[in-house]
Amino acid sequence: MIAALRKELLLQWRSRAQFFSVFIFGATALLLFSFGVGPNSEVLRQFSAGFLWLGLLLSSTLTLAESFHAEMENRALEGLLILPADPRALYYGKTLANWIQLTLLGSALVPVMVILYDAGTTRLLSLLAIIALGSAGLAAPGTLYAAMTSQVRAKQTLLPLLLFPLIVPALLASVKATSLVILGDPMQTLRSWISLLAAFDAIYWSLCGLLYPRVLED
Amino acid sequence: MISALDRYHPPNMSEPAIQADHLARRFGRRWALADVSLVVPRGTVLMVAGHNGSGKSTLFRVLASVLRPDHGVARVAGFDVVTQRADVRREIALLSHYTYLYESLTARENLHVAADHLGIKRDIVMSLLDRVALSSRADDVVSTFSAGMRKRLSFARVFLQNPSVVLLDEPYGQLDPEGFALVDDVVRELRSKQVTVLMATHQIERGASLADQQLILAAGRVQK
Amino acid sequence: MQTVTDNQRFPRTPYVLLALGAALLLFGSWWGLFFAPKEQYMGDVQRIMYVHVPTAWNWMLAVIFAFVSAIAFLFTSNYKWDSRLEAGLEVGSLLAFLLCCQGSIWAKPTWGVWWDWDPRLTSVAVLLMASLGIIALRTFVEDPARRAIWSSVATIIASVDLPIVYFSVKWWNSLHQQQSSPNTVSPDFYIPLRVNAFAILFLMTGFIMLRARLASRRLAAEVTAPPLSEAGEMA
């Protein structure tokens, strides 16, 4: 699995220009959300967590799809499988790499959020932790579905179509937790949202890893 | 990789290297392989000839356990291609018309990736690149390579593995005369090491001079 | 590839079920609409519960059926489970859609809004989207084996998600709204409810069986035997 992870990170590093473009996409989305709501800073601040996560979610479809582009060009993934490489190791390598990238993306979008929506917070560590956990929830099923849809004609539409309904709990929990960190947590409910997120991550990281080899079969 | 090695079964030495019975595989409504049976003894070279679309690549991919046959069974190196895929894959190396390369990585890095996944040390990579005359381009990104160079790199990748059966799908394709000589050398060397070689090619005379057996495929069936 | 089976033993069963189901539904609904007493607080609108609650129960059964079919396919590779999965997904989606409509019809006069983010109904909507996505996936994958494996995997993932979605929406909503469940029905009303529950069960089962047969036949038409050697030609 380390081999798989090394390869993924190397590939990501090579296509770092792509990361920058996706970041711009996410930042633009955040900007557009504010245009959708209007220049009311109070309202924007209320919804800043939601905007951040929606922006990250939309950007994730680009990142996830891209993570399989290199594999499909020359059928490199097939090449790895017949070395032989363990499909589960390949899955976790790629999911970890995607997770890292999404966490970086989310963190990069935080300053954008702070500036556009006046949504600053001193609890940066908590915020980063939530972004990490939420991204993990996106990465696990996202990598599985990206593997499927990268081999199909309507890949661009199918990935969000399959992924979005699935990650609703992770989205809800992440938005709620982020909101509490930014706006305050009078009833101390942050812990339960984080637990929900962690549970979602645990379930899907195991379930998707279990099912991945079947998805790659031919 | 440790877990894969734990379950290693040594190949069955008494069986022929390849044994296929009535293999069939379709894509949509078209049967790329309709009924293919063959036996390849260990350490021999089989040349597979046939027009484009006759099913050569499909046959090789089925034998490499990449494609599932819709009908029929095949055993490669003593292992069933459907139920013992991991074992088959450990025993074979496939040179496909898909190069299995990462465009954004260099030649050296591509081989490093393969070496890492195989669990072997990276030192060997430079000597392999020498062998295929690519050492001057070791640190160039694959997207800048010509088709012939990619073929050579794919060969290097095959050498990283330690197969008992090698499947070469159009090994001479896109290569220059030096490349042709390289392929000839490789096939002879493999044969001398008791490695079984299957070679699909349009270079009939060249292939025939190297091969112990010949087979012609047409419309997914064995001719002659 | 495994053979596709078709139920030859009881070819008429689905039609019997459909007829019985339709008759029961008419009976149960008539009772609920006209015969049962008016509900105390909510008035006539509450009568929609006579179809809403049974539809909800049966939707849950459809979801479980799809989940079981998916797992069965992954373990047996027998394509009859794939056909059943296809049927279960489609019929389940139809039921989910009906649930959302019924929920909206109830919500508008009661709460003044078409959608009140009730955790149950919201979970239904999420799963409806998920199953429509899986149905869409099926139309884009040509290889039957891949299509079957992928839709089974996707169905398992989505079904496991259902309880998680429900709880997360429940928590999410609980901070904002008073939870007045629209599903409370007093004991006087149980008979029409049960009649309709069975009615919809029969209808659903009949539709699933028919749809599964259709799926099996389509699959059989896709998969043909390899062409035999032409007569007279030496192999």
Side-chain angles (χ1 to χ4, degrees), chain C residues 51-206:
Chain C
V51 277
H52 189 62
V53 174
T55 312
W57 289 342
N58 282 293
W59 171 76
M60 273 275 27
L61 285 179
V63 170
I64 293 173
F65 177 73
F67 181 59
V68 166
S69 300
I71 293 186
F73 178 78
L74 286 184
F75 274 103
T76 67
S77 294
N78 187 333
Y79 281 82
K80 71 178 180 199
W81 290 110
D82 178 53
S83 302
R84 286 174 187 163
L85 176 61
E86 186 173 318
L89 283 174
E90 278 193 17
V91 174
S93 301
L94 180 64
L95 287 172
F97 178 67
L98 286 174
L99 276 178
C100 292
C101 293
Q102 292 160 355
S104 300
I105 294 173
W106 182 85
K108 187 69 174 156
T110 314
W111 296 113
V113 287
W114 288 110
W115 193 263
D116 69 334
W117 300 103
D118 169 55
R120 268 175 272 215
L121 219 51
T122 308
S123 308
V124 171
V126 169
L127 212 64
L128 172 61
M129 300 293 159
S131 51
L132 288 177
I134 300 174
I135 292 172
L137 177 67
R138 287 182 73 88
T139 57
F140 283 105
V141 182
E142 273 125 26
D143 177 30
R146 237 185 205 183
R147 184 169 64 218
I149 295 177
W150 286 5
S151 21
S152 301
V153 166
T155 304
I156 290 174
I157 292 180
S159 308
V160 165
D161 206 22
L162 180 60
I164 309 178
V165 170
Y166 174 67
F167 281 116
S168 57
V169 175
K170 192 166 179 207
W171 283 355
W172 178 73
N173 219 3
S174 64
L175 304 171
H176 302 285
Q177 266 198 2
Q178 281 297 91
Q179 281 306 298
S180 167
S181 167
N183 289 347
T184 46
V185 175
S186 91
D188 298 335
F189 309 142
Y190 275 179
I191 296 182
L193 210 60
R194 284 187 180 151
V195 166
N196 273 351
F198 279 104
I200 297 186
L201 179 63
F202 292 151
L203 281 173
M204 179 181 79
T205 312

Side-chain angles (χ1 to χ4, degrees), chain B residues 75-147:
Chain B
R75 294 183 73 79
V76 173
F79 298 113
D80 185 283
V81 296
V82 175
T83 57
Q84 295 169 296
R85 289 179 118 142
D87 297 307
V88 168
R89 289 171 180 185
R90 202 172 294 112
E91 293 297 319
I92 59 123
L94 173 65
L95 185 84
S96 163
H97 48 269
Y98 298 114
T99 58
Y100 298 150
L101 299 172
Y102 289 100
E103 295 284 324
S104 58
L105 299 184
T106 67
R108 196 201 299 258
E109 283 165 349
N110 262 290
L111 292 181
H112 281 163
V113 167
D116 290 344
H117 280 86
L118 283 166
I120 60 185
K121 288 204 187 328
R122 290 179 166 194
D123 323 336
I124 195 177
V125 164
M126 267 327 281
S127 57
L128 291 176
L129 286 172
D130 271 332
R131 180 92 194 276
V132 295
L134 279 178
S135 32
S136 57
R137 301 291 298 265
D139 293 306
D140 288 341
V141 169
V142 167
S143 53
T144 63
F145 279 19
S146 67

Side-chain angles (χ1 to χ4, degrees), chain A residues 17 28-29 51-52 83 85 100 114 123 141 152 155 165 191 208 216:
Chain A
T28 310
F51 294 153
L52 175 70
L83 278 180
I100 292 172
V114 168
R123 302 176 62 182
V152 157
K155 54 184 83 161
R191 202 153 275 242
C208 294
L216 291 185

Side-chain angles (χ1 to χ4, degrees), chain B residues 166-187:
Chain B
V166 172
L167 302 158
L168 303 173
D169 193 353
E170 309 279 356
Y172 296 105
Q174 295 119 19
L175 288 177
D176 50 25
E178 287 91 28
F180 277 33
L182 172 67
V183 177
D184 292 341
D185 285 338
V186 167
V187 174

